[in-house]
Amino acid sequence: MNSTPLWLSALADAAQVMPVPPPMRPPAQGGRESAVLILFGETERGPDLLLIQRNDGLRRHAGQPAFPGGRIELTDPSPEAAALREAEEETGAVPTGIDVVGRLPELYLSFSDFRVAPILGWWREPSEVRAADTGEVAAVSRVPVADLADPANRVKVRYGGGPMWGPGFRVDNMLVWGFTGAIIDSLLTLGGWELPWRDAALTDVFEATPQGLRPVG
């Protein structure tokens, strides 16, 4: 049996109390309940994360990379069950090969009014994955943590031309940013994987617009 590695158990403990930025703190009431699966596996290159890229043309988060996940249905007994169900529907990942190891603090997406339960999982028995729900998902990737931590792949994303910015990652022909990028950035820090950013003059900056991301400068 491929038991949960010590590094992931330690990460799960630390992630339970990770700080939540004010814009991502859920309101006292309201919001649609949802869950995402933050699924760690391991290959010859070390730990990796399962990410999807959403189809263009969707009403929400079109074309964006994300963790598998979606709305919690009445038939889901828990957020953990919802996250596993969504991952299977979107990527074909077999739930019986996945161990739930923890839950991060609830986060809020004001743009879509979703309260999100981020579920941390260990891919004990990896299965083949693909874009199983082609109406929602354009591509599925297992992205090595080493690539996410590489300073050459890290970018900054500015929101709406204002002073607020967030981290981004250019990996596997995707530009990961926004909600997903913020979680990955926190996990890199908590897991001890974070490396110093490149010099500011060498770090690419993008601006988030209603039409998507555009390079700045």
Side-chain angles (χ1 to χ4, degrees), residues 135-181:
E136 293 274 346
V137 180
V140 177
S141 298
R142 292 185 64 171
V143 180
V145 169
D147 289 350
L148 293 163
D150 187 342
N153 295 332
R154 305 198 70 176
V155 303
K156 293 183 177 181
V157 178
R158 189 170 66 195
Y159 296 100
M164 291 185 59
W165 68 275
F169 304 86
R170 193 156 29 198
V171 289
D172 203 10
N173 297 314
M174 299 185 294
L175 182 52
V176 184
W177 60 288
F179 172 82
T180 306

Side-chain angles (χ1 to χ4, degrees), residues 24-210:
M24 299 176 72
R25 292 174 186 168
Q29 296 180 344
R32 295 177 292 176
E33 294 189 346
S34 65
V36 298
L37 182 64
I38 304 171
L39 183 58
F40 279 97
E42 194 155 23
T43 68
E44 65 278 358
R45 291 195 59 197
D48 64 6
L49 274 172
L50 181 67
L51 296 177
I52 65 172
Q53 182 149 19
R54 301 203 176 280
N55 272 329
D56 293 328
L58 296 176
R59 286 194 303 123
R60 298 185 182 91
H61 311 295
Q64 288 189 25
F67 298 114
R71 189 166 185 173
I72 299 175
E73 304 292 348
L74 293 176
T75 53
D76 293 318
S78 66
E80 286 79 4
L84 291 171
R85 173 184 57 76
E86 286 282 349
E88 182 177 24
E89 291 175 359
E90 292 182 337
T91 74
V94 179
T96 54
I98 299 170
D99 293 334
V100 171
V101 297
R103 188 194 300 188
L104 279 61
E106 187 180 49
L107 304 172
Y108 182 62
L109 282 172
S110 58
F111 175 78
S112 52
D113 192 33
F114 274 119
R115 307 175 72 101
V116 184
I119 307 302
L120 201 58
W122 166 240
W123 216 347
R124 173 174 37 84
E125 297 179 3
S127 52
E128 182 181 352
V129 289
R130 65 196 188 284
D133 182 353
T134 55
E136 293 274 346
V137 180
V140 177
S141 298
R142 292 185 64 171
V143 180
V145 169
D147 289 350
L148 293 163
D150 187 342
N153 295 332
R154 305 198 70 176
V155 303
K156 293 183 177 181
V157 178
R158 189 170 66 195
Y159 296 100
M164 291 185 59
W165 68 275
F169 304 86
R170 193 156 29 198
V171 289
D172 203 10
N173 297 314
M174 299 185 294
L175 182 52
V176 184
W177 60 288
F179 172 82
T180 306
I183 292 180
I184 291 175
D185 185 60
S186 294
L187 292 175
L188 290 178
T189 301
L190 292 173
W193 296 304
E194 186 179 33
L195 298 173
W197 283 63
R198 291 185 298 170
D199 181 271
L202 300 176
T203 299
D204 292 331
V205 178
F206 292 81
E207 184 170 356
T209 71

